[in-house]
């Protein structure tokens, strides 16, 4: 099989991924796709179809939901437990000035959109950068040689294989699609894009990475040549595993599942088609049409409409009237549009439905939304576990062993501030000695009364300092 062979699960889901990408992008991408999402009407000419398509409106509920849900996950900073030696990695995960928070947010968006992504942990080619130098740790730091991570979209992970080794499932192969930029031999001032595949595989228990590029001299597509092969090493020894992590809402690499917002996207497209039919109907029936009967008009005769003109008919049977649309057809389309909006609201786009005017207790609202955000919580926890493994792989490559490393993305999605009566009750408990001041401060953080940007000791120091500064001055002459 050639290197560009597609995994059956890839072929089964790539159309869903394409649909989700277009829907999230919005109106421009949907209309550019033409008949893919808006079929032609019977006997419609190309010009008529273009007008029909332009009149349609795509309300991007799905894209708004992706933005809103991602914002809910990152409304609070992720909780990181990492050693100080990994601070450079946290500040720039990709070696392209992408900090960890932005890296994590991109992954959440990818999983939200298509429910699949991957991260490759890698190390720069030391020989290509350092040349004849011996790559010691100081040299590596000087040349910027350190471990980094790269995100691969679902569409770029074209093939993979999982095998049973010693009673457990082991990732034994991954094929990644890439586009490399090279200087055009015909023009040194321009770059040409070259399609290539990066193959990660275990060979006799050793991790090997190879790069294949399309052979431009082969005279056709599908001929690939090996341009690079290496056995990445850690502390001078080849790795015994593939440093690649799959991400999805459910976790696991062997199963590809439907995007979590696919049903919402499908209704979103149905809403778009309803608006096309509705606007099409309004275009042809919205304006009244003048009708004259009982008059034989000459070929060159015309009648103008307006208050400054008059029509005079000699035949008493002649009459003029307006032809106006009557019926429930357009109302049915309008109702269908509203029904789709209600369905989208039920499937996740809460911002489309009006808020209840009836007052509800904060606890009731929190309980209701806890159930509604359970899928989002599962997604956030799954990405957290994947990011933890990525940082552990990066730490191992940096020879940071035996240190606890963990990532926990926020799952407290809805702000329900602590009520004044609760604060009063907690304060009374502190004053009666039934609650410590630190527990009181921790409760204020959880209740979002204070940000928690400072820990208890720092907050207490500020309180003490403020108390000293506001104390009455001492009369030294007394």
């Amino acid at each position: 099989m050639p290197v560009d062979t597609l995994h059956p699960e890839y072929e089964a889901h790539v159309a869903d991924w394409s649909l989700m990408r277009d829907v999230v992008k919005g109106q421009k991408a949907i209309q550019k796709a033409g008949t893919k999402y808006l079929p032609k009407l019977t006997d419609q000419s190309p010009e008529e179809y273009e007008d029909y398509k332009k009149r349609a409106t795509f309300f991007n509920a799905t894209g708004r939901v992706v933005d809103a849900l991602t914002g809910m996950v990152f409304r609070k900073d992720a909780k990181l437990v990492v050693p100080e030696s990994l601070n450079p990695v946290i500040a720039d995960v990709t070696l392209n000035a992408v900090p960890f928070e932005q890296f994590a947010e991109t992954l959440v968006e990818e999983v939200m959109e298509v429910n699949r992504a991957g991260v490759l942990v890698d190390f720069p080619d030391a020989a290509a950068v350092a040349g004849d130098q011996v790559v010691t740790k100081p040299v590596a730091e000087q040349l910027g040689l350190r471990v980094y991570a790269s995100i691969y979209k679902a569409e770029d992970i074209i093939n993979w294989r999982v095998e049973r080794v010693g009673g457990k499932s082991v990732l034994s192969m991954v094929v990644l699609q890439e586009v490399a930029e090279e200087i055009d031999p015909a023009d040194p001032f321009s770059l040409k894009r070259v399609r290539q595949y990066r193959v990660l595989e275990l060979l006799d228990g050793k991790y090997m990475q190879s790069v294949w590029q399309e052979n431009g001299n082969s005279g056709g597509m599908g001929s690939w040549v090996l341009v690079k092969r290496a056995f990445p090493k850690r502390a001078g020894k080849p790795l015994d595993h593939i440093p690649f992590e799959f991400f999805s809402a459910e976790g696991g690499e062997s199963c590809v599942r439907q995007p979590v917002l696919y049903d919402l996207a499908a209704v979103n497209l149905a809403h778009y088609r309803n608006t096309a039919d509705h606007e099409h109907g309004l275009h042809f029936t919205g304006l009244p049409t003048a009708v004259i009967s009982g008059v034989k008009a000459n070929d060159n005769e015309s009648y103008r409409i307006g208050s400054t003109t008059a029509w005079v008919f000699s035949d008493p049977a002649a009459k003029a009237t307006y032809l106006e649309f009557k019926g429930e057809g357009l109302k049915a389309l309008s109702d269908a549009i509203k029904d789709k909006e209600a369905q989208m609201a039920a499937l996740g786009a809460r911002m489309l439905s009006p808020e209840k005017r009836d007052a509800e207790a904060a606890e009731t609202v929190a309980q209701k939304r806890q159930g509604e955000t359970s899928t989002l919580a599962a997604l956030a926890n799954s990405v957290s576990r994947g990011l933890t493994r990525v940082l552990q792989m990066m730490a191992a490559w940096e020879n940071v062993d035996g240190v606890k490393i963990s990532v926990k993305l926020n799952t407290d999605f809805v702000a329900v501030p602590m009520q004044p009566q609760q604060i009063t009750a907690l304060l009374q408990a502190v004053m009666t000695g039934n609650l410590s001041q630190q527990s009181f401060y921790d409760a204020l953080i959880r209740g979002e009364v204070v940000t928690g940007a400072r820990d208890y000791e720092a907050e207490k120091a500020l309180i003490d300092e403020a108390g000293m500064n506001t104390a009455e001055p001492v009369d030294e002459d007394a």
Side-chain angles (χ1 to χ4, degrees):
M1 294 189 299
V3 70
D4 58 349
T5 299
L6 302 178
H7 193 286
E9 291 282 344
Y10 181 98
E11 294 181 298
H13 289 84
V14 67
D16 293 347
W17 300 337
S18 175
L19 181 147
M20 291 300 302
R21 299 293 189 193
D22 289 340
V23 170
V24 170
K25 286 177 184 175
Q27 171 103 359
K28 190 172 182 180
I30 292 298
Q31 293 212 330
K32 184 179 180 181
T35 56
K36 181 179 179 181
Y37 303 122
L38 183 64
K40 283 185 178 182
L41 299 179
T42 304
D43 299 328
Q44 226 175 12
S45 70
E47 293 78 12
E48 290 172 334
Y49 175 75
E50 281 302 309
D51 291 337
Y52 171 61
K53 183 179 70 174
K54 288 177 182 177
R55 283 191 288 268
T57 301
F58 181 75
F59 179 68
N60 194 1
T62 308
R64 292 187 179 192
V65 168
V66 170
D67 291 342
L69 297 183
T70 303
M72 290 168 72
V73 174
F74 290 94
R75 80 181 191 91
K76 290 184 178 181
D77 292 340
K79 295 180 180 178
L80 298 179
V81 179
V82 293
E84 289 187 6
S85 55
L86 281 188
N87 284 346
V89 170
I90 299 301
D92 181 5
V93 182
T94 64
L95 289 183
N96 288 315
V98 176
F100 179 82
E101 192 84 0
Q102 183 180 340
F103 186 84
E105 188 170 343
T106 300
L107 276 173
V108 168
E109 287 178 348
E110 285 296 311
V111 175
M112 198 88 69
E113 285 187 26
V114 299
N115 201 14
R116 191 163 177 83
V119 171
L120 171 63
V121 176
D122 207 354
F123 199 89
D125 186 351
V129 178
D132 296 331
Q133 295 184 74
V134 177
V135 184
T136 60
K137 188 169 184 178
V139 171
E141 291 176 354
Q142 181 183 0
L143 296 175
L145 296 174
R146 68 160 176 80
V147 68
Y148 65 96
S150 302
I151 296 176
Y152 285 82
K153 295 185 176 183
E155 298 90 333
D156 295 329
I157 310 170
I158 70 162
N159 204 355
W160 59 94
R161 185 165 57 238
V162 177
E163 298 178 356
R164 299 288 293 181
V165 177
K168 67 176 182 178
S169 297
V170 175
L171 183 64
S172 60
M173 184 197 72
V174 183
V175 182
L176 305 172
Q177 179 178 253
E178 300 176 343
V179 176
E181 291 187 340
E182 299 178 352
I183 297 177
D184 190 343
D187 183 359
F189 298 102
S190 65
L191 297 173
K192 66 174 184 176
R193 295 166 66 85
V194 180
R195 188 158 58 113
Q196 68 180 29
Y197 292 95
R198 188 174 302 274
V199 181
L200 321 174
E201 56 187 324
L202 287 179
L203 188 63
D204 296 329
K206 298 178 182 178
Y207 167 49
M208 183 183 74
Q209 189 177 127
S210 56
V211 177
W212 299 73
Q213 288 187 351
E214 193 170 5
N215 186 1
N217 299 321
S218 64
M221 299 287 289
S223 178
W224 304 93
V225 293
L226 178 66
V227 297
K228 187 186 298 183
R229 174 173 287 172
F231 287 88
K233 297 179 180 180
R234 176 208 171 200
K237 296 181 180 179
L239 276 68
D240 60 358
H241 64 281
I242 297 176
F244 189 88
E245 181 71 24
F246 284 91
F247 286 79
S248 70
E250 302 85 2
E253 67 276 354
S254 57
C255 259
V256 184
R257 295 179 176 85
Q258 180 176 285
V260 292
L261 295 177
Y262 183 84
D263 291 341
L264 173 59
V267 177
N268 210 163
L269 288 171
H271 180 272
Y272 167 63
R273 290 188 286 269
N274 283 159
T275 68
D277 292 337
H278 187 254
E279 294 296 328
H280 184 68
L282 287 175
H283 176 73
F284 285 100
T285 63
L287 296 177
T289 301
V291 178
I292 303 173
S293 62
V295 175
K296 185 177 180 181
N298 298 324
D299 292 340
N300 60 351
E301 187 175 6
S302 62
Y303 294 89
R304 297 178 62 84
I305 298 176
S307 60
T308 59
T309 61
W311 296 351
V312 179
F313 303 129
S314 58
D315 188 343
K319 65 177 182 178
T321 185
Y322 276 101
L323 180 66
E324 294 185 84
F325 172 76
K326 295 179 180 179
E328 295 294 319
L330 292 181
K331 184 178 183 304
L333 286 172
S334 179
D335 290 344
I337 290 173
K338 293 177 182 177
D339 289 343
K340 299 297 189 303
E341 290 175 357
Q343 291 176 39
M344 287 189 286
L347 288 168
R350 289 186 54 84
M351 69 286 293
L352 296 179
S353 57
E355 291 292 332
K356 282 190 175 182
R357 294 185 179 180
D358 297 336
E360 292 182 326
E363 293 83 357
T364 304
V365 174
Q367 289 172 4
K368 287 170 61 177
R369 296 199 174 181
Q370 184 66 31
E372 293 167 358
T373 57
S374 59
T375 300
L376 180 59
L379 186 152
N381 287 330
S382 178
V383 174
S384 295
R385 291 190 292 270
L387 284 169
T388 296
R389 289 189 286 268
V390 166
L391 287 184
Q392 288 171 345
M393 285 189 283
M394 299 180 84
W397 217 321
E398 290 286 296
N399 295 317
V400 179
D401 296 318
V403 179
K404 181 176 175 58
I405 294 174
S406 67
V407 178
K408 177 63 177 174
L409 298 181
N410 168 54
T411 54
D412 180 13
F413 305 128
V414 182
V416 184
M418 185 181 294
Q419 301 302 303
Q421 59 269 28
Q422 293 174 298
I423 299 175
T424 301
L426 289 172
L427 186 56
Q428 288 177 346
V430 173
M431 294 173 66
T432 57
N434 294 317
L435 184 70
S436 70
Q437 291 185 6
Q438 179 159 354
S439 295
F440 176 59
Y441 183 65
D442 292 341
L444 293 180
I445 293 174
R446 289 193 300 272
E448 302 197 6
V449 178
V450 296
T451 63
R454 293 182 294 272
D455 61 19
Y456 170 73
E457 295 299 333
E459 186 73 17
K460 189 174 184 301
L462 282 177
I463 294 171
D464 293 341
E465 182 181 347
M468 291 176 62
N469 291 337
T470 57
E472 293 184 4
V474 177
D475 187 354
E476 296 181 354
D477 297 330

